[in-house]
Amino acid sequence: MGHKPVGVNSSFAISSGSNARGVNKTLQQSDSLRVVAKGAGCHVAIGTFPTAAATNYYVHSGESEVIALGSVKSNRVAGITTGATTTIDFAEGTGSPFEVGDAVSLTVTGQSDYDFTHKIVLSIDTSGGSSGFFSERIIVDHDSSAGNPAALLATSQAILRGSFMVAAFGDGNGTIHYQQVQSSGGAS
């Protein structure tokens, strides 16, 4: 089976009997993560702020495994309201692909002051309200009260995307490498 790399390869050190978490907060761009344990096997956990333990998915030393991440979650942002928390409005009729507790990252071309990485969705407005949002508005745990432009420009493209982190519990000393991939073809 062939793999097409998506994004960058990341790695971090693992050690015997201890949990380690990579510092990278990775934008999810694929439904699969290829993981390679070098030097020692390890148990792998993937999530918002994961902690790996001996009960998590095991990757043998020198072997690669492809772990399913689930569907990619992203949506175009139509409006941003700054404050102690950040309110994100999606285009009418699209709804929110995110759930409370998901980690999200925002990228705004031309207005990078709005950008944030790996913040938690606090709530989703499911009411109709007078403005008719119907699950098109979410609140994110990101303090955007300082340093942001007054309004999202019509020329800016804003995308909110799910993000994740990787943790590993090592059998010994080594390194875990991981990268998102797209799979193609069948078994050889």
Side-chain angles (χ1 to χ4, degrees):
M1 177 178 305
H3 293 123
K4 178 181 179 184
V6 178
V8 298
N9 179 61
S10 298
S11 64
F12 59 90
I14 56 175
S15 59
S16 184
S18 66
N19 178 68
R21 182 184 306 143
V23 296
N24 290 346
K25 295 161 178 94
T26 306
L27 295 177
Q28 186 181 353
Q29 299 173 302
S30 173
D31 66 353
S32 301
L33 186 71
R34 182 174 183 261
V35 178
V36 177
K38 185 177 177 185
C42 62
H43 296 270
V44 178
I46 302 165
T48 303
F49 295 104
T51 300
T55 55
N56 292 111
Y57 190 90
Y58 187 75
V59 178
H60 290 277
S61 176
E63 298 287 325
S64 69
E65 297 288 347
V66 177
I67 301 172
L69 295 172
S71 297
V72 176
K73 295 179 182 180
S74 67
N75 203 348
R76 184 178 66 83
V77 173
I80 302 170
T81 304
T82 59
T85 58
T86 302
T87 302
I88 303 289
D89 294 326
F90 299 119
E92 183 177 351
T94 62
S96 173
F98 305 103
E99 300 172 23
V100 171
D102 282 352
V104 293
S105 297
L106 177 68
T107 305
V108 183
T109 58
Q111 291 182 288
S112 60
D113 288 346
Y114 279 123
D115 293 1
F116 60 78
T117 302
H118 206 70
K119 301 298 181 174
I120 306 305
V121 174
L122 296 174
S123 66
I124 300 169
D125 185 352
T126 57
S127 66
S130 59
S131 55
F133 283 101
F134 290 109
S135 297
E136 295 164 1
R137 174 176 277 178
I138 67 172
I139 308 297
V140 179
D141 188 17
H142 171 65
D143 186 349
S144 57
S145 57
N148 289 302
L152 187 61
L153 300 173
T155 57
S156 293
Q157 181 182 21
I159 301 292
L160 191 67
R161 184 176 296 278
S163 54
F164 65 91
M165 296 180 76
V166 176
F169 183 84
D171 280 350
N173 296 330
T175 306
I176 181 173
H177 296 267
Y178 58 97
Q179 182 170 12
Q180 294 177 81
V181 294
Q182 291 177 334
S183 297
S184 64
S188 54

